Amino acid sequence: MFYAGIDMLFSILFPILFLVVLGMILYTIIGNISTWNKNNHSPRLTVPATVVAKRTDVSHSSSANAGDMSGAHGYDTSTFTSYYVTFQVESGDRMEFSVSGREYGLLVEGDTGRLTFQGTRYLGFERRGSKAAYYDRPENGEERQRASWDPER
């Protein structure tokens, strides 16, 4: 009698759970295709902009080796880092884009230049100026004056 109830419960819950998971997968796929299509139909714009912020998002993942959830065989751990840069355009609007690690490393807060994007897709940034301080000395041996924001000034 007890097992008949579990069979009935399983025969009801399994299809519902399956449909919920399938619905979530389809929702994600359709949303990503919609964003991709919207970006492709958006104009490609190049505007003057300033880098105002940078941030990273580090995700950690850990799974047991050999399918042993007790961890007796150790764990395989991996990390993934996403890089984001926020630009401010002349109108005062701010836009955050996902960028590659290389682009993230090359950009400095305060850099000004021309931002190229298409919808929510970052295409590039051509730097016009930088807040990089001068630390070298010209041939005459005199140290160059540093920018006013430099804490060592």
Side-chain angles (χ1 to χ4, degrees):
M1 187 72 141
F2 177 73
Y3 295 112
I6 290 184
D7 278 346
M8 187 173 99
L9 183 66
F10 182 75
S11 67
I12 292 171
L13 287 181
F14 181 75
I16 291 173
L17 186 62
F18 176 77
L19 290 174
V20 167
V21 170
L22 181 65
M24 291 170 60
I25 291 170
L26 288 174
Y27 178 79
T28 302
I29 290 171
I30 290 170
N32 287 339
I33 290 173
S34 173
T35 300
W36 174 79
N37 189 41
K38 182 180 175 187
N39 283 340
N40 283 346
H41 287 91
S42 294
R44 185 177 290 213
L45 300 174
T46 301
V47 296
T50 302
V51 177
V52 292
K54 293 169 54 172
R55 71 179 179 92
T56 59
D57 182 24
V58 181
S59 302
H60 302 279
S61 175
S62 183
S63 59
N65 289 336
D68 180 11
M69 296 310 290
S70 70
H73 294 96
Y75 287 93
D76 179 31
T77 304
S78 61
T79 60
F80 179 78
T81 305
S82 299
Y83 301 95
Y84 301 93
V85 178
T86 302
F87 296 93
Q88 183 169 325
V89 296
E90 288 180 330
S91 66
D93 292 334
R94 292 183 175 202
M95 295 176 282
E96 182 178 67
F97 293 101
S98 177
V99 299
S100 69
R102 183 178 186 283
E103 289 276 341
Y104 182 87
L106 292 174
L107 296 173
V108 177
E109 288 184 25
D111 280 351
T112 59
R114 298 182 54 77
L115 169 68
T116 303
F117 64 98
Q118 186 176 21
T120 60
R121 188 181 300 147
Y122 171 82
L123 299 176
F125 183 76
E126 181 184 334
R127 183 178 299 118
R128 295 275 190 226
S130 174
K131 279 193 169 182
Y134 294 106
Y135 292 105
D136 58 338
R137 295 174 184 255
E139 288 77 31
N140 64 6
E142 294 177 17
E143 188 174 276
R144 292 187 187 183
Q145 184 177 5
R146 295 189 171 123
S148 61
W149 56 266
D150 191 343
E152 296 181 14
R153 182 176 179 195

